[in-house]
C-alpha cells in the first residue's frame, strides 16, 4: 500500500509540473496570439500547478506573470485602437 501512495504522489507532481510548463508556454504564445483566451488559461494553469505543489515553481509563477501580461497587452491594444483590434478596408 505504501508504494501505491508514492506512485500517486509522483504522478500528481508530474501533472503539476506539466501544468507549470503549459502555463509558461501558453503565456508566452499569448503575448502574440489569442491573448484573450491564452492569458486566462496561463493564469489558471499556473495557479493550479502552484496549488498542487509543482517542482517547477518558477515556471508556474512566470506563466502566471505572462498570462497577466497577455491581458495587459490586450487592454493596451484595445485602448490604442479605440476599441478595434482589426480594421478592414
Amino acid at each position: 500500500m505504501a508504494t501505491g501512495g508514492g506512485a500517486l504522489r509522483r504522478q500528481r507532481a508530474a501533472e503539476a509540473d506539466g501544468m507549470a510548463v503549459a502555463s509558461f508556454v501558453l503565456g508566452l504564445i499569448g503575448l502574440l496570439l489569442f491573448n484573450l483566451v491564452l492569458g486566462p488559461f496561463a493564469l489558471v494553469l499556473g495557479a493550479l500547478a502552484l496549488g498542487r505543489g509543482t517542482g517547477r515553481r518558477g515556471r508556474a509563477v512566470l506563466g502566471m506573470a505572462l498570462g497577466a501580461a497577455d491581458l495587459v497587452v490586450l487592454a493596451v491594444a484595445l485602448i490604442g485602437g479605440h476599441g478595434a483590434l482589426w480594421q478592414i478596408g
Side-chain angles (χ1 to χ4, degrees), residues 2 21 27 33 35 39 46 52 60 63 68 80 88:
V21 172
L33 302 168
N35 45 7
R52 292 184 181 189
I88 300 174

Side-chain angles (χ1 to χ4, degrees), residues 12-25 45-64:
R12 285 188 60 102
E15 287 174 359
D17 289 350
M19 285 182 195
V21 172
S23 172
F24 172 73
V25 170
L45 283 174
L48 284 173
L50 289 174
R52 292 184 181 189
T54 182
R56 299 179 180 208
R57 184 172 172 81
R59 284 211 178 106
V61 171
L62 188 56
M64 291 177 63

Side-chain angles (χ1 to χ4, degrees), residues 28-42:
L28 194 58
I29 293 171
L31 287 173
L32 301 173
L33 302 168
F34 308 117
N35 45 7
L36 179 63
V37 175
L38 296 181
F41 277 146

